[in-house]
Amino acid sequence: MVFVQLRQFSNSSIAAGRPGYSLVKPVHHRVRIRKQLLSPRFPELKLPPTDVRSPKYRPFLVRQDRVKEHYHNTLKSDLLLINYQHDQKDVEGPKRRKWDMSSPYHINRPLQKPKGQIVPSPTIRARTWKNVPFFEGVSINCFVEEAKANPAAAIAAQLQIQQITNSKVYPIYAKTNVPTWKLRPGMLMGARTRLTGAPAHQFLSTLTELVLPRARDFRGIRNSAGDQYGNIAFGLSAETVRLFPEIEHNQDSWPNTYGFWLTLHTSAQLDYEARTLLSGLGLPFYGNEKVPLLLRQAQGL
Amino acid sequence: MFGAARTVQKSGANLQFVRTKRIRAGLDPVAQRVVTQLSVISANRKMPKMLKLSKEDFVKHVTVMRAWGVVRKEKKQAEEAQLKQQYESIKEANEDLKHVSQKLFEAANKLEIGKRFPLELRVPTEYPSRSGWFYDYTPRKL
């Protein structure tokens, strides 16, 4: 006969009619213990990355940043004035809505979609001296079509992006299955990277001073480009990419170049603010510009 | 990609793998090119040498960085204070304008969609060119 003894944590609480275990959440094992800090070995690995003695230390602000200085000396105060609206109030973007609880099935149901859209929009905050829009960075996305047949093309594209931006590149893999294009998920298709801070400024000044003024097929960025929330994207053709100095001065090594998409990220809340900012950084725009939908809704136009 | 599997054709279309001697000459030039490209992308063996600072050097470094941090902080605070001052005076001026002339107030507060900095605006350089200024310049109509 097997005797199974039930473990009981508290006899008195059972007697009192309560469950026999604690309902209080445990406090043990909630704090992650980093054992390397306890061990006396490898003292240099315990230093924070901001310490020069740490192997992770990277020197920062090692040279002048022209774009940053230009922004702070010239653009920032102008942008404050341009974007100023008297008695401005926050414009609430459409958010997810609560159910009216007319049905018992509404309990615990995920919130309803925002009216007229699928994803909620952020609230547009009133402009003050604290939130003047600034340039955050660039992300580069290079999808190479010929990499379907020749995966080496994707590697060459990765190298090209790395040479142009001087930053770590990450591979792009196909996500979808499109049999007519012979595209299958998991195929190596190109390269991507994201630049912020000084490298982004360096890239932007190369682009606006050396590349775009000489590009034949570049008229400017379309005024209709943008994701509504202050990020503006445009493309560079394979021919234009040849004008980057890293490639131009080493033509023999680059039999093929690959065009790519650039997204300029700004902290602007709406696209027209981002365009004003980017025009100050030397990027031309063309085409008709519309009043953004969020503002039209807010003003009841 | 890196080396074609050597196969020997026997009796019609049947392909059979055959164990042979290793080719010493290396990869074919196309594959070699890809390998070189990959080695350029890879971060392998590209770790910069770590600085070895003496105690005195370390103290110097920390002191200089702290002092520099203070300078940067002061500069930032001064800039923010100036922006705040600008904002306050814009606000004050608008408040006045509202009572003086409604028409002018509306004109001053029009939403500036399509506002652009002039295309001739340049990010300043430390050493601008000697002949970089065209005195009889007139902007082109786009």
Side-chain angles (χ1 to χ4, degrees):
Chain A
M1 190 182 135
V2 184
F3 179 70
V4 181
Q5 192 190 11
L6 281 173
R7 266 184 74 192
Q8 300 212 319
F9 293 101
S10 162
N11 290 324
S12 58
S13 61
I14 288 170
R18 288 184 303 237
Y21 50 85
S22 172
L23 291 173
V24 179
K25 285 195 173 168
V27 286
H28 303 280
H29 311 292
R30 312 260 314 185
V31 178
R32 200 174 137 253
I33 293 169
R34 287 155 71 195
K35 278 197 177 175
Q36 78 265 34
L37 295 184
L38 301 177
S39 138
R41 301 167 72 205
F42 310 124
E44 66 272 17
L45 295 184
K46 295 176 200 167
L47 297 165
T50 47
D51 196 313
V52 227
R53 294 167 298 175
S54 160
K56 281 186 180 170
Y57 178 77
R58 294 192 70 183
F60 58 99
L61 298 171
V62 284
R63 57 179 160 172
Q64 191 185 17
D65 192 341
R66 284 168 52 217
V67 177
K68 190 178 168 189
E69 283 177 9
H70 173 57
Y71 173 75
H72 285 282
N73 296 338
T74 312
L75 301 181
K76 204 172 178 184
S77 58
D78 286 4
L79 285 168
L80 177 65
L81 182 59
I82 289 169
N83 293 323
Y84 181 82
Q85 291 275 298
H86 198 62
D87 293 336
Q88 201 182 5
K89 290 191 182 69
D90 293 357
V91 177
E92 186 82 13
K95 306 284 181 208
R96 291 208 170 88
R97 294 167 294 163
K98 280 181 182 163
W99 297 95
D100 57 357
M101 293 297 165
S102 57
S103 154
Y105 293 105
H106 285 164
I107 299 166
N108 287 341
R109 190 182 272 188
L111 292 178
Q112 222 173 342
K113 278 173 196 160
K115 202 170 183 181
Q117 32 192 91
I118 294 161
V119 228
S121 299
T123 301
I124 305 164
R125 305 270 170 217
R127 282 282 170 218
T128 63
W129 49 276
K130 279 180 190 166
N131 59 2
V132 182
F134 61 90
F135 175 66
E136 282 174 346
V138 202
S139 57
I140 295 173
N141 199 57
C142 178
F143 186 93
V144 186
E145 259 182 50
E146 65 176 278
K148 284 184 291 190
N150 174 23
I155 291 164
Q158 280 181 33
L159 185 64
Q160 176 203 290
I161 301 294
Q162 193 211 39
Q163 294 288 307
I164 289 172
T165 60
N166 189 23
S167 73
K168 166 89 181 155
V169 286
Y170 300 92
I172 291 177
Y173 297 101
K175 286 183 193 168
T176 47
N177 184 18
V178 189
T180 47
W181 297 347
K182 295 180 180 171
L183 194 70
R184 276 168 282 110
M187 286 166 84
L188 178 63
M189 291 310 290
R192 68 177 169 87
T193 188
R194 171 91 191 242
L195 303 171
T196 49
H201 290 155
Q202 174 66 52
F203 181 78
L204 192 74
S205 59
T206 314
L207 198 69
T208 52
E209 287 164 13
L210 300 175
V211 179
L212 297 182
R214 291 184 294 155
R216 282 167 184 271
D217 54 350
F218 184 77
R219 270 184 69 194
I221 305 171
R222 239 177 239 277
N223 273 332
S224 56
D227 74 340
Q228 293 187 53
Y229 308 121
N231 304 311
I232 286 165
F234 68 101
L236 290 184
S237 67
E239 235 174 79
T240 310
V241 171
R242 291 206 163 271
L243 299 170
F244 275 93
E246 292 85 359
I247 293 177
E248 195 185 23
H249 296 300
N250 197 6
Q251 295 265 6
D252 300 344
S253 309
W254 295 99
N256 298 317
T257 48
Y258 306 94
F260 52 80
W261 285 96
L262 293 165
T263 311
L264 304 165
H265 300 277
T266 67
S267 74
Q269 303 179 85
L270 291 168
D271 283 348
Y272 74 91
E273 291 174 339
R275 280 183 211 112
T276 313
L277 164 65
L278 292 175
S279 75
L281 297 173
L283 288 157
F285 287 87
Y286 76 97
N288 294 327
E289 194 161 16
K290 283 182 189 168
V291 179
L293 185 68
L294 277 169
L295 282 188
R296 265 185 287 150
Q297 283 169 350
Q299 291 166 352
L301 295 172
Chain B
M1 196 197 305
F2 301 126
R6 267 167 294 152
T7 53
V8 170
Q9 205 160 16
K10 274 184 181 175
S11 64
N14 281 340
L15 288 172
Q16 237 178 14
F17 282 94
V18 171
R19 198 178 285 276
T20 53
K21 233 177 149 184
R22 193 161 68 93
I23 298 174
R24 289 258 169 202
L27 300 165
D28 65 291
V30 178
Q32 185 57 53
R33 192 182 169 83
V34 175
V35 169
T36 316
Q37 284 176 341
L38 279 171
S39 77
V40 173
I41 296 168
S42 149
N44 202 11
R45 298 189 195 176
K46 292 185 186 69
M47 186 79 171
K49 219 174 185 180
M50 240 182 80
L51 292 174
K52 285 202 172 161
L53 300 178
S54 69
K55 209 156 196 171
E56 195 188 335
D57 285 349
F58 175 66
V59 171
K60 259 189 208 167
H61 175 87
V62 171
T63 315
V64 170
M65 291 302 278
R66 285 264 170 82
W68 189 31
V70 170
V71 170
R72 281 191 294 139
K73 194 180 165 189
E74 279 172 357
K75 211 175 156 188
K76 198 179 168 186
Q77 281 173 345
E79 196 202 318
E80 278 191 0
Q82 201 187 356
L83 273 182
K84 191 184 173 187
Q85 208 183 350
Q86 188 194 345
Y87 180 79
E88 299 296 348
S89 46
I90 296 171
K91 204 172 175 180
E92 204 181 318
N94 266 295
E95 202 62 48
D96 282 353
L97 198 59
K98 204 174 175 181
H99 298 300
V100 173
S101 157
Q102 190 64 27
K103 196 181 155 193
L104 286 178
F105 173 75
E106 274 166 22
N109 272 293
K110 229 171 117 186
L111 207 59
E112 292 188 290
I113 293 180
K115 183 91 174 175
R116 298 282 178 268
F117 286 92
L119 204 55
E120 291 82 32
L121 180 70
R122 292 274 177 273
V123 179
T125 48
E126 193 91 338
Y127 301 103
S129 70
R130 281 165 190 273
S131 59
W133 193 260
F134 303 110
Y135 285 94
D136 44 355
Y137 171 80
T138 44
R140 193 156 43 102
K141 283 279 175 205
L142 284 175

